[in-house]
Amino acid sequence: MAHGSRNPEALRTVTALLDRVRALRPGLPVRLGHIELNRPLLTDTLAALRGEAVLVPLLLGRGYHIKQDIPDVAAAAPHLRVLIAAPLGPDPLLAEALHARLAEAGWSADTGRTAETGRLADLSRLPEAGRLADIGRAAETGRLADTGRIAEAGRTAEAGRAPETGRLADVSRLPETGRAPETGRPTTAGRATQTGLRTQTGPPAQPRPRPPAPAPHTAGVVLAAAGSRDPDAALDTARAAALLGARLGGVPVLPGYASGSGPTVSEAVRILTALGHDRIAVASYFTAPGRFATECAEAAPGVVAAPLGAHPAVARLVLHRYEQALASAPLSHPAATVGV
């Protein structure tokens, strides 16, 4: 149960979502109600019903509407037996829909390519220490080795392990004799002709010049949400951000809020930028277009996704919440009222 919107696109979006719900469950009566700003109002919808109903809030987390408004509206309809379903979020189905909206907006989780191999570098999986400019340090410090330095050796990082210590060796620092830097013993790999290092007597081979390695791109996402002073709402949004990050393969996702406590979208963008992320998108954690969604979109530095809207995963989730409510207290005659 949201409060509606003066944006005319909001009502069209919610109506399209309910059409998807009806298509998934033919014969199930589905009604619409708003807390304010749009008709039909939820109080009017409930007043016209008789018997039993399940109230499914199209809200994305706990907060004042869930804890206060919905119980009050249900109590004001004593002629009905009303079951109140949980809010839509957080849920993996919403992460699915958010991912799809980001893809529709042209955003990809590809975070960059290594300079010489052309392989995708999965920078999203780096620990915090490896996300900044120190990615050229050896792996013993917890950071990635500079892949651009081992192209001449023709090895991956696994090939650079010292045979006796098991630690990653900095291949770019191997001496001319091919000795492992920590053991001091010659290695067979050090004699390989692909290294370009001379093991015979005579002057050492001069290293061939290498083109400068371009800086890898790093991706990040801000999950733009309405916000609330209720700490449970912030917890739910944080869980939704974690679900989306997992869906994106480990890309960092930070919540940004249009109101309430917590960082704004602009502040979340600055946090990600300070961590070295230069490809930041905004995912719109809103059921439908509205004032908050518009304000958050205006703060986006680049790609901004559309609200969840009538995505098929959201329609499936509405029915899932309906089924959960019925499982907790079955009705004699199934009916659904979807509050918006």
Side-chain angles (χ1 to χ4, degrees):
M1 184 186 299
H3 47 67
S5 173
R6 292 186 176 88
N7 187 331
E9 192 61 31
L11 181 57
R12 287 193 286 268
T13 300
V14 170
T15 300
L17 174 59
L18 267 61
D19 287 342
R20 283 193 179 274
V21 173
R22 295 184 181 103
L24 290 173
R25 190 68 63 85
L28 176 66
V30 180
R31 304 289 186 265
L32 175 62
H34 298 87
I35 188 64
E36 63 178 0
L37 299 178
N38 289 118
R39 293 188 181 277
L41 293 174
L42 182 64
T43 51
D44 295 337
T45 300
L46 295 182
L49 295 176
R50 294 295 181 269
E52 302 165 325
V54 177
L55 182 57
V56 182
L58 299 188
L59 297 175
L60 302 176
R62 294 167 292 175
Y64 185 82
H65 291 311
I66 294 293
K67 296 180 178 181
Q68 190 68 42
D69 283 339
I70 293 178
D72 288 350
V73 171
H79 63 289
L80 281 177
R81 181 187 173 211
V82 178
L83 296 179
I84 301 174
L88 296 185
D91 194 273
L93 284 171
L94 293 181
E96 176 185 336
L98 289 165
H99 186 187
R101 294 299 186 222
L102 284 168
E104 291 168 0
W107 186 84
S108 171
D110 291 347
T111 54
R113 295 180 181 273
T114 57
E116 297 182 48
T117 67
R119 298 177 182 175
L120 286 176
D122 190 1
L123 302 180
S124 65
R125 299 179 184 273
L126 291 179
E128 290 299 329
R131 289 179 180 148
L132 304 178
D134 292 329
I135 61 174
R137 296 192 180 185
E140 292 180 346
T141 65
R143 303 180 172 98
L144 284 183
D146 186 353
T147 58
R149 293 179 179 269
I150 66 171
E152 293 182 28
R155 303 172 187 166
T156 62
E158 292 295 327
R161 293 184 183 272
E164 297 185 14
T165 65
R167 299 182 180 177
L168 285 174
D170 188 348
V171 183
S172 64
R173 299 184 181 181
L174 287 176
E176 301 295 334
T177 61
R179 294 179 184 273
E182 297 192 10
T183 65
R185 298 181 181 179
T187 65
T188 302
R191 299 189 179 97
T193 57
Q194 293 180 355
T195 61
L197 300 177
R198 294 183 182 273
T199 57
Q200 303 90 345
T201 58
Q206 296 299 317
R208 289 176 290 179
R210 293 187 297 271
H217 294 289
T218 52
V221 171
V222 173
L223 184 65
S228 171
R229 295 185 182 90
D230 191 316
D232 287 336
L235 287 174
D236 288 346
T237 304
R239 286 185 58 204
L243 287 170
L244 179 57
R247 175 84 187 190
L248 299 178
V251 171
V253 178
L254 292 183
Y257 299 101
S259 66
S261 58
T264 65
V265 171
S266 297
E267 289 169 343
V269 168
R270 288 196 290 271
I271 292 171
L272 286 172
T273 301
L275 290 172
H277 303 284
D278 59 2
R279 294 179 60 251
I280 301 172
V282 171
S284 296
Y285 197 47
F286 300 97
T287 306
R291 179 170 64 90
F292 283 165
T294 300
E295 291 176 356
C296 290
E298 291 172 348
V303 171
V304 56
L308 294 160
H311 191 276
V314 181
R316 297 200 307 272
L317 182 56
V318 169
L319 286 173
H320 180 58
R321 292 289 185 256
Y322 166 74
E323 297 289 355
Q324 286 178 323
L326 284 181
S328 65
L331 297 180
S332 58
H333 299 287
T337 295
V338 180
V340 186

